[in-house]
Amino acid sequence: METGTSRVKRGMAEMQKGGVIMDVMNAEQAKIAEAAGATAVMALERVPSDIRAAGGVARMADPTVLEEVMKVTSIPVMAKARIGHFVEAKVLEALGADYIDESEVLTPADEVYHIDKRDFTVPFVCGAKDLGEALRRIQEGAAMLRTKGEPGTGNIVEAVRHMRIINGQIRKVQNLSKDELYHEAKTLGVPYELLLGVHESGKLPVVNFAAGGVATPSDAALMMHLGADGVFVGSGIFKSEYPEKFARAIVEATTHYQDYKLIAEVSKNLGTPMKGIEISKLDASQRMQDRGW
Amino acid sequence: MKIGVLALQGAVAEHIRSIEAAGGQGVAIKRTEELAELDGLIIPGGESTTIGKLMRKYGFIDAIRNFSAQGKPIFGTCAGLIVLADRIDGQEEAHLGLMDMTVARNAFGRQRESFETDLPVKGIEEPVRAVFIRAPLIKEVGSSVDVLSTYKDEIVTARQGHLLASSYHPELTDDYSLHAYFLKMAEEAAAAASR
């Protein structure tokens, strides 16, 4: 009997496929998310848009938030640790978090090294904006990936960009000859063996979700069309006018992303979505996607 | 044999790959109309609360009960096992309520307690590589249910006539023996129906 194997960690993410993972800040929101059909919740003290507004250093949430959410839900509970902050991650593992997000939404704790995620029994999800980042995170032990997008903006453009970049790079790698692969591994800064795997299979070896800017049911469906295995919705749900209805609509649009009549139906009368931010108006220091390397 | 995999949420592609490796044809099923053309149905792993909700929403509860009433085989893994059960520990409402058994969700604990192991299964020659992920357990079964395997004295594989259920994920490995076993069930059911 073996725990924490790569198969057990990656398998957990496989079970999330086609699903929606929702940010929640307390037990009440967690219950709404579960009732709406979320496949997991991310327990946070503040959603990304509030972190953005508050400024300062964003850290791991108070453990009581995680405990409170775990107590009321039967679905998996995820939590965020700062990039490189392996002690926050160990604390989350000790608390019983089912998945840890080493996240650029929080202020990085290390400007060089990410967490050695193989040193944990619980699986990790990490953000990536290109194939190099994706494969470096996998080499460090990430069992699931997500696009970085630009969290807390309600603007899907960056998640689309990151998904398209990764897809494009995968197609390019597929068409390289074996000798060109050595050079490409050096250029991307990734291990040759992982790149060879992508060359042969034409896909990433772990599940890849969309995250960072999903604000409507159509946004979720768009990301599924672009090849996302599922969707993270952060600020979108509980910053909208009718969170319950909105959460259900996102779940349905993710399952039936090719059924436009259904998406039209669930998109009706959702009230005012979160306001959203134009990416070019963001100061360079406020771009969360540039955190992590 | 054409085997459908219910594709509302969860590990659909893995089951299709395993069924094809075992010699069958696998298709993803998103609408109730698509059930008509199948010889068997797999309800995959995922989140049972999500899958159950979407099944209700899109009319799959009655459609799959109907499919089962025709004697067509159904295989539920992990969340799929929960969905098949008559009784769910601590929950008032079951989903399909087709198999005479009581199941407990997340019976092994949280993700850090998830594991894989070699598991002997009645009717399959070699032990099956079984991946348990926040897995459920079968607490008790009715007299018409055949227990195919136990792990530490708890029931983890069971069969009731044309219905098969496992707590674990055979689709996450390169061991296709349980899928081959299910394909045989589908062949037998098809042969019985044409007689």
Side-chain angles (χ1 to χ4, degrees):
Chain A
M1 194 271 268
E2 301 117 65
T3 58
T5 62
S6 165
R7 193 142 60 190
V8 165
K9 289 175 172 176
R10 291 179 181 186
M12 160 76 191
E14 302 281 353
M15 297 310 138
Q16 294 286 315
K17 282 196 297 195
V20 180
I21 301 171
M22 303 181 189
D23 278 2
V24 298
M25 291 178 288
N26 53 48
E28 188 201 349
Q29 292 184 350
K31 279 193 253 178
I32 292 174
E34 182 167 8
T39 50
V41 289
M42 178 79 71
L44 296 167
E45 218 169 279
R46 282 178 295 181
V47 293
S49 61
D50 287 342
I51 289 175
R52 215 174 256 298
V57 176
R59 312 177 178 89
M60 174 186 86
D62 185 316
T64 54
V65 176
L66 181 59
E67 284 177 341
E68 184 187 336
V69 169
M70 286 196 302
K71 211 176 286 171
V72 299
T73 52
S74 63
I75 56 177
V77 180
M78 302 186 172
K80 287 186 197 290
R82 279 180 267 178
I83 289 172
H85 206 316
F86 54 85
V87 171
E88 281 188 351
K90 284 287 181 192
V91 169
L92 293 174
E93 181 175 57
L95 284 165
D98 294 302
Y99 234 97
I100 298 171
D101 184 359
E102 185 181 18
S103 178
E104 68 280 6
V105 167
L106 306 181
T107 310
D110 193 315
E111 291 189 325
V112 181
Y113 305 108
H114 280 252
I115 297 171
D116 173 14
K117 293 164 275 285
R118 293 173 192 267
D119 186 36
F120 289 74
T121 307
V122 292
F124 275 75
V125 55
C126 287
K129 54 185 187 307
D130 55 46
L131 185 61
E133 276 192 338
L135 295 182
R136 284 194 292 279
R137 297 297 86 78
I138 292 169
Q139 181 66 21
E140 294 156 3
M144 180 182 190
L145 294 170
R146 52 173 176 72
T147 57
K148 283 181 162 176
E150 192 55 46
T153 59
N155 191 339
I156 198 67
V157 66
E158 296 301 298
V160 168
R161 185 199 316 281
H162 299 161
M163 192 57 88
R164 283 200 180 270
I165 287 174
I166 290 176
N167 289 344
Q169 286 176 310
I170 289 175
R171 282 193 294 273
K172 179 188 168 196
V173 166
Q174 269 183 288
N175 289 324
L176 293 180
S177 61
K178 284 265 164 77
D179 52 350
E180 288 168 336
L181 276 178
Y182 294 112
H183 179 76
E184 188 68 9
K186 190 184 84 178
T187 310
L188 289 175
V190 302
Y192 170 75
E193 288 69 25
L194 279 180
L195 199 67
L196 181 64
V198 172
H199 172 72
E200 286 170 349
S201 70
K203 57 190 185 66
L204 293 167
V206 302
V207 164
N208 187 21
F209 269 46
V214 177
T216 69
S218 295
D219 285 350
L222 173 65
M223 295 312 297
M224 294 299 287
H225 273 281
L226 291 176
D229 290 310
V231 178
F232 280 90
V233 187
S235 319
I237 293 173
F238 293 99
K239 286 287 162 194
S240 71
E241 203 170 348
Y242 310 115
E244 214 165 331
K245 196 172 171 196
F246 185 86
R248 275 200 306 270
I250 295 255
V251 169
E252 288 195 53
T254 303
T255 300
H256 289 291
Y257 63 92
Q258 291 157 312
D259 187 338
Y260 308 110
K261 270 189 185 159
L262 182 143
I263 298 171
E265 207 48 51
V266 302
S267 300
K268 286 179 185 166
N269 302 312
L270 288 181
T272 319
M274 67 181 288
K275 185 155 175 279
I277 300 172
E278 163 63 38
I279 301 297
S280 62
K281 300 281 187 290
L282 274 184
D283 189 68
S285 67
Q286 292 180 313
R287 283 164 59 91
M288 290 174 174
Q289 61 180 283
D290 297 334
R291 299 165 168 180
W293 22 91
Chain B
M1 288 290 108
K2 191 166 179 179
I3 305 296
V5 182
L6 187 65
L8 295 176
Q9 191 271 315
V12 175
E14 291 69 16
H15 270 299
I16 291 177
R17 179 194 61 113
S18 296
I19 276 292
E20 304 211 318
Q25 184 197 349
V27 288
I29 302 296
K30 286 207 169 199
R31 306 180 164 281
T32 53
E33 309 89 86
E34 295 164 343
L35 290 171
E37 56 186 77
L38 303 178
D39 300 304
L41 176 70
I42 293 176
I43 304 177
E47 280 307 315
S48 66
T49 50
T50 306
I51 294 173
K53 213 156 294 246
L54 292 169
M55 282 173 75
R56 275 185 188 80
K57 179 95 193 177
Y58 302 122
F60 272 105
I61 300 284
D62 286 340
I64 294 176
R65 282 182 183 151
N66 200 2
F67 183 85
S68 173
Q70 296 166 42
K72 291 191 178 177
I74 305 176
F75 179 16
T77 60
C78 193
L81 168 146
I82 298 168
V83 167
L84 281 175
D86 269 346
R87 297 168 297 278
I88 304 169
D89 227 12
Q91 240 169 270
E92 275 178 26
E93 209 185 352
H95 301 285
L96 288 168
L98 287 171
M99 280 181 85
D100 186 6
M101 59 187 186
T102 306
V103 300
R105 294 180 58 206
N106 303 330
F108 292 92
R110 305 202 72 89
Q111 174 60 19
R112 63 184 172 201
E113 277 88 40
S114 296
F115 63 97
E116 54 179 293
T117 191
D118 287 325
L119 184 76
V121 179
K122 201 164 103 183
I124 293 175
E125 221 165 288
E126 298 285 322
V128 169
R129 189 66 184 167
V131 187
F132 290 80
I133 296 175
R134 288 171 48 93
L137 274 180
I138 304 172
K139 300 304 275 187
E140 50 166 23
V141 296
S143 56
S144 59
V145 177
D146 196 8
V147 173
L148 299 188
S149 70
T150 57
Y151 176 76
K152 293 189 175 165
D153 297 329
E154 304 273 12
I155 305 168
V156 293
T157 322
R159 177 174 175 181
Q160 179 183 338
H162 64 293
L163 306 171
L164 179 68
S166 72
S167 298
Y168 49 89
H169 298 282
E171 78 280 11
L172 291 182
T173 70
D174 295 332
D175 176 349
Y176 310 117
S177 52
L178 213 57
H179 287 85
Y181 181 95
F182 182 64
L183 274 177
K184 210 165 133 229
M185 285 171 61
E187 279 160 17
E188 285 164 7
S194 66
R195 242 183 263 132

